C-alpha cells in the first residue's frame, strides 16, 4: 500500500521565510534551501539576523498567521486523504507550522522545533534527527508501506530518492538541473495524474 | 517531543464487529480481540462465518456506514491535534475504516487490508506486518519522537508497553486483570488530565 509524504513550503503553502523577508523588509531572510543547500548554515544565519534586528518569535508568528495555502492546496489534500494516508514532512519548526497546519486541516506533520528563551527570542533550533525526510520514508518502509514523496528543494532530494516514487513539484531550475533523474510537475492536476497510478 | 498513537475501536468508535453482529443477527461475530487474544484465529473465524452466511464486503460496509463515533470523540481528537501529532494505529482494514475515518476528520491511519474477490466476497486479509502496533511506536521512536499510546484490548498491549507512556482506555476487566501495570482511564476528560503533562 502506498502512502504519501510531502514537503510543506513550496508544495502546499508559500515559502515562509520569503514572506517573513518581505513583511519585515529584511531581504537577507529571503534565502531558502532552494538557494543554500546546507540547512545548518542557513538556519544559523537566519537566527543571527533575527537577533541583530531584534525580532522575536511572536513577530515571525504574526507574519506566518497571514500566509494562506496555495490555491487548490486544501482541495488537493482532501483528494489525497480520501485515497490514502498523508504525512507532511518538513524542515520547518512546530512553532512556525501551527497556523499553516490549522488552515490545511491539521494533517500529520513531522518537523523540528525552535528553542525559545524567556524573552520570546529564538535562540537555537533542534533538528529532530539528521536527514529527517529520508528517515521518515525509511520508517514507513519498515512498516511495510510503499512511499510516494513530493518536494521542491534540495532538502527533499534524499526523501524523493528513498521513496518508491519521488516527484519534484515546482522546483527551481537549479534543482532540476542537479537532479535530471527526477520527474517534475508544476500543478496539482498533473500531480494527480501520476498519483492515480498508485492510490 | 511526544506524539500520540491510539487504537480506533473502543477508543473513538464502537467495536465494528459487535455492530455487524447486531445488525446482521449473527451473534458469533460479536467476538473481538477483547475476547480472543489471537487475532489470526479471530479473523479466520470471521471470514468463515461471512462465507457461510453469504455476506459480502458491501454488506459489512453498509453496517459500518451507520456507526457513529463515540460521544465527544471528534472534539477530543481536535484537542489532541491542536497540541501534537496524532496517529490512529488499528487492526482494522482500510476497506472497513474509511466511513469511520471520514467522520473523524481523516487523521492518519495505519492498519491492514482485506483481499476481495471479483464477486465482492472477503476471501482473505493481509496484515501489514507482525505486531504492527508495537512496530509503529518503534518507527516513531527511531524518528526521535516519544510516544503516548492509548488502547483498550490485548492487541494494544505491546504498543502500550513499547511507548514511553501507555494508557488503557475503557478496557474490559480481563485486560485490566492481566495487565495491572498499566494505568486505566474511563473517559476523555480523565485522559486529558494525563496528556497535558506531556503535550
Amino acid at each position: 500500500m502506498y502512502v504519501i509524504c510531502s514537503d510543506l513550503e513550496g508544495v502546499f503553502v508559500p515559502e515562509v521565510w520569503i514572506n517573513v523577508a518581505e513583511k519585515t523588509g529584511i531581504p537577507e531572510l529571503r534565502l531558502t534551501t532552494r538557494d543554500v543547500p546546507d540547512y545548518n548554515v542557513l538556519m544559523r544565519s537566519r537566527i543571527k539576523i533575527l537577533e541583530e534586528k531584534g525580532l522575536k518569535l511572536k513577530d515571525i508568528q504574526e507574519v506566518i498567521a497571514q500566509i494562506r495555502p496555495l490555491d487548490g492546496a486544501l482541495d488537493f489534500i482532501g483528494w489525497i486523504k480520501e485515497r490514502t494516508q498523508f504525512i507532511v514532512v518538513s524542515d520547518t519548526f512546530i512553532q512556525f507550522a501551527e497556523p499553516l497546519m490549522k488552515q490545511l486541516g491539521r494533517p500529520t506533520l513531522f518537523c523540528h522545533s525552535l528553542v525559545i528563551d524567556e524573552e520570546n527570542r529564538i535562540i537555537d533550533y533542534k533538528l529532530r534527527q539528521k536527514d529527517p525526510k529520508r528517515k521518515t520514508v525509511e520508517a514507513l518502509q519498515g512498516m511495510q508501506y510503499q512511499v510516494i514523496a513530493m518536494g521542491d528543494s534540495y532538502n527533499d532530494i534524499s526523501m524523493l530518492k528513498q521513496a518508491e516514487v519521488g516527484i519534484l513539484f515546482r522546483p527551481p531550475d537549479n534543482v532540476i538541473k542537479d537532479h535530471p533523474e527526477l520527474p517534475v510537475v508544476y500543478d496539482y492536476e498533473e500531480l494527480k495524474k501520476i498519483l492515480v497510478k498508485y492510490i
Side-chain angles (χ1 to χ4, degrees), chain A:
Chain A
M1 192 182 295
Y2 283 92
V3 296
I4 292 189
C5 287
S6 179
D7 184 29
L8 178 63
E9 293 171 48
V11 181
F12 296 111
V13 301
E15 291 289 341
V16 167
W17 287 96
I18 289 175
N19 272 268
V20 172
E22 281 169 9
K23 310 255 179 188
T24 57
I26 305 171
E28 304 96 294
L29 289 177
R30 279 191 69 90
L31 297 180
T32 72
T33 48
R34 290 182 170 201
D35 311 290
V36 183
D38 187 324
Y39 191 69
N40 282 305
V41 171
L42 182 64
M43 271 307 297
R44 292 283 158 218
S45 148
R46 287 167 171 171
I47 289 176
K48 193 160 165 264
I49 294 166
L50 294 180
E51 195 195 342
E52 285 168 3
K53 304 282 181 179
L55 289 171
K56 298 186 174 183
L57 173 61
K58 65 173 173 48
D59 302 311
I60 313 299
Q61 284 176 323
E62 277 169 22
V63 171
I64 294 170
Q66 298 169 39
I67 300 175
R68 295 290 164 262
L70 300 179
D71 279 351
L74 196 58
D75 285 348
F76 179 53
I77 289 175
W79 183 89
I80 292 173
K81 287 172 80 181
E82 283 173 14
R83 283 159 181 79
T84 191
Q85 304 311 307
F86 172 66
I87 294 169
V88 178
V89 187
S90 172
D91 277 331
T92 190
F93 304 96
I94 198 75
Q95 291 93 336
F96 288 174
E98 170 52 22
L100 298 170
M101 298 312 285
K102 187 180 173 184
Q103 295 180 70
L104 296 175
R106 292 206 175 91
T108 298
L109 167 69
F110 295 142
C111 68
H112 305 296
S113 57
L114 294 168
V115 182
I116 310 300
D117 75 4
E118 61 282 0
E119 286 170 18
N120 197 246
R121 284 180 303 210
I122 301 168
I123 52 169
D124 202 356
Y125 65 98
K126 248 179 120 164
L127 298 187
R128 212 179 62 246
Q129 63 188 172
K130 211 170 135 56
D131 205 356
K133 297 201 183 204
R134 180 177 60 78
K135 284 188 182 143
T136 300
V137 175
E138 286 177 342
L140 289 164
Q141 288 169 333
M143 292 166 62
Q144 305 306 314
Y145 282 108
Q146 294 170 289
V147 179
I148 303 169
M150 320 186 298
D152 70 337
S153 297
Y154 287 108
N155 65 331
D156 297 309
I157 298 298
S158 70
M159 168 172 81
L160 268 51
K161 293 202 168 190
Q162 179 65 34
E164 276 75 14
V165 182
I167 307 164
L168 282 170
F169 183 80
R170 290 186 200 165
D173 289 345
N174 51 347
V175 173
I176 299 174
K177 191 166 161 259
D178 290 350
H179 296 283
E181 71 281 12
L182 290 169
V184 179
V185 301
Y186 290 91
D187 62 49
Y188 299 137
E189 291 308 312
E190 271 187 276
L191 206 40
K192 282 184 187 176
K193 281 180 199 158
I194 299 179
L195 297 182
V196 289
K197 296 178 198 167
Y198 306 99
I199 62 173

